[in-house]
Amino acid sequence: SSAASDVYKRQLSCIEKGIRKMKAIVINEPHDVAVVERPLPVIKPGEALLKILYGGICGSDLGSYRGTFAYVSYPRTPGHEFSAEIVEIGPNDRGLKPGMVVTCNPYFNCETCYSCQRGLVNCCTTNQTMGVQREGAFAQYITMPVERIYDGKGLPAKTLALIEPFCISYHGVSRAHVQRQDKVLVIGAGTIGVLAAVAAKIKGAEVYIADVAEEKLRYAMEEFHLDGTILNDGPDSFKEKIREVTEGNGFDVAIEAVGLPSTFQACIDAAAFGGKVVLIGVGKQNLDFDFTVIQKKELNIFGSRNALKKDFEELIDIVKSGKVNLEKIVTDTYRFEDAGRAFEEFDKHAGSKLKVVIEF
């Protein structure tokens, strides 16, 4: 067919450029990371060949390394936060061309389930996220469907690799319809939590962030100019600090960005009567709690999973406008060859590191 012929020609072009094999990062099992050699991926109709430039290690990637992430299977090439240069691409209606620096939507949906039929493709019942249920982006070259590729609009490659985690946070904040003058608490000062706080600030809210790590709280406050921090140094002390900050009213919105039973409970406790709770964090543990408090407070509880095309497109424009310097979230950058050390040191020093980035 004509389409097959075009694919063959593009693949042949890559071979003529000397691109036959590549290297990829693999988590073979918990705490076992290797850099392996693989054949160049084959471009299928409707796809583009991308050269990876930067990749961010997500909390879920760290969970995969630790063996604590709920959705992953092994062996697995991790990575769903990335920027790339287009190497080969066919004619398309998106204005995408070889040489452009882009980012991508890494959540693959089935297009047929009830969620997909209603346009809720981010929570497809058989969702496959790159680096989790399917192979990820931590390789020198990958292929991607053209419709999942977004023009970076001239943003630096390192910045574009941070758009996806910002989308996760932004989507959660959007789920709660955060508005100007809302008082918002984010529990968890990791990348997703800090970016959720930033997203709420963009919406005009008064934003506080809580964590057990004083160093992370200090960094978030200094670099992103939030309204306040709360050290979560015990349930009773934490509740008292919430009362002080909110004059006993509780927060209009409480966002969980950790994935632990205790932090979800803390959000329930911190929310005002008639308030909203958003769960972004992912964990494996169960929570036994007094669910009647949901009725008593008339709480609105939102789950937030992945992100949508509009989240990516809106955030690329927001970052392009200069409203936020995303690269401030990066605390460490490693070479591709040092991937094993990147995971090991992130694991050991997670209390002091925010976004760890690999430069390909």
Side-chain angles (χ1 to χ4, degrees):
S1 69
S2 175
S5 177
D6 288 343
V7 170
Y8 173 75
K9 288 177 182 177
R10 294 199 297 274
Q11 190 71 11
L12 183 60
S13 173
C14 293
I15 293 172
E16 289 171 348
K17 293 175 183 177
I19 307 170
R20 294 180 175 83
K21 291 185 180 295
M22 65 170 192
K23 292 181 178 179
I25 298 167
V26 177
I27 302 177
N28 292 307
E29 58 185 24
H31 301 283
D32 180 5
V33 175
V35 177
V36 302
E37 191 172 83
R38 288 178 176 169
L40 185 76
V42 177
I43 310 171
K44 298 175 183 176
E47 292 184 339
L49 180 69
L50 306 180
K51 178 182 180 180
I52 300 299
L53 301 176
Y54 284 90
I57 299 180
C58 177
S60 62
D61 295 321
L62 183 58
S64 298
Y65 175 78
R66 290 171 167 171
T68 60
F69 188 51
Y71 302 133
V72 75
S73 59
Y74 303 96
R76 179 67 66 213
T77 292
H80 54 264
E81 308 172 0
F82 61 95
S83 61
E85 177 186 343
I86 298 176
V87 177
E88 299 288 341
I89 192 168
N92 63 87
D93 59 1
R94 301 172 64 84
L96 299 170
K97 301 176 182 178
M100 291 178 67
V101 178
V102 298
T103 190
C104 301
N105 183 329
Y107 326 117
F108 284 72
N109 59 293
C110 70
E111 301 183 359
T112 59
C113 72
Y114 188 43
S115 297
C116 288
Q117 290 173 28
R118 291 177 292 156
L120 306 174
V121 296
N122 61 303
C123 55
C124 167
T125 57
T126 56
N127 169 80
Q128 291 193 342
T129 297
M130 293 175 66
V132 184
Q133 296 96 344
R134 65 189 295 145
E135 289 296 78
F138 283 7
Q140 291 175 312
Y141 295 89
I142 66 169
T143 57
M144 283 292 288
V146 172
E147 69 270 13
R148 294 184 171 278
I149 302 173
Y150 304 124
D151 180 3
K153 297 186 176 180
L155 287 173
K158 184 181 282 189
T159 298
L160 282 174
L162 306 171
I163 292 293
E164 191 278 340
F166 199 7
C167 284
I168 296 291
S169 306
Y170 184 80
H171 184 77
V173 169
S174 299
R175 289 280 287 149
H177 303 287
V178 171
Q179 302 177 42
R180 188 171 298 278
Q181 304 306 321
D182 276 348
K183 186 166 280 190
V184 176
L185 172 67
V186 179
I187 297 184
T191 298
I192 299 302
V194 171
L195 292 180
V198 170
K201 285 294 290 182
I202 289 172
K203 300 282 188 181
E206 180 182 343
V207 184
Y208 291 76
I209 192 164
D211 203 284
V212 297
E214 291 187 72
E215 189 172 345
K216 282 188 172 182
L217 292 177
R218 185 164 50 251
Y219 188 87
M221 192 71 180
E222 292 174 355
E223 297 296 336
F224 295 98
H225 310 296
L226 307 180
D227 295 286
T229 64
I230 300 174
L231 181 64
N232 190 355
D233 54 355
D236 293 336
S237 173
F238 184 70
K239 288 178 182 178
E240 181 58 34
K241 291 170 183 174
I242 296 298
R243 283 192 288 270
E244 291 175 4
V245 168
T246 65
E247 299 180 342
N249 295 323
F251 283 91
D252 300 299
V253 182
I255 300 173
E256 201 286 337
V258 179
L260 292 175
S262 60
T263 46
F264 180 70
Q265 179 70 67
C267 282
I268 295 289
D269 295 338
F273 279 64
K276 302 170 184 177
V277 175
V278 182
L279 178 63
I280 302 177
V282 179
K284 285 185 173 182
Q285 301 176 48
N286 295 331
L287 172 63
D288 180 11
F289 77 112
D290 178 12
F291 63 85
T292 303
V293 71
I294 297 173
Q295 180 271 338
K296 181 180 179 180
K297 285 187 170 183
E298 197 176 67
L299 294 177
N300 299 280
I301 299 180
F302 300 88
S304 181
R305 187 176 189 187
N306 298 334
L308 296 166
K309 176 181 178 180
K310 74 179 188 68
D311 297 316
F312 283 86
E313 293 179 336
E314 288 176 13
L315 284 184
I316 288 172
D317 287 338
I318 286 172
V319 176
K320 180 72 175 176
S321 74
K323 290 182 179 179
V324 57
N325 180 357
L326 269 189
E327 291 193 26
K328 286 184 177 181
I329 206 76
V330 177
T331 53
D332 301 85
T333 302
Y334 291 82
R335 298 183 307 163
F336 172 65
E337 296 82 0
D338 297 327
R341 185 164 64 88
F343 276 93
E344 180 181 0
E345 294 183 358
F346 193 10
D347 178 34
K348 290 180 179 178
H349 306 290
S352 60
K353 296 179 184 293
L354 279 180
K355 179 51 61 186
V356 175
V357 169
I358 295 175
E359 183 176 4
F360 284 75

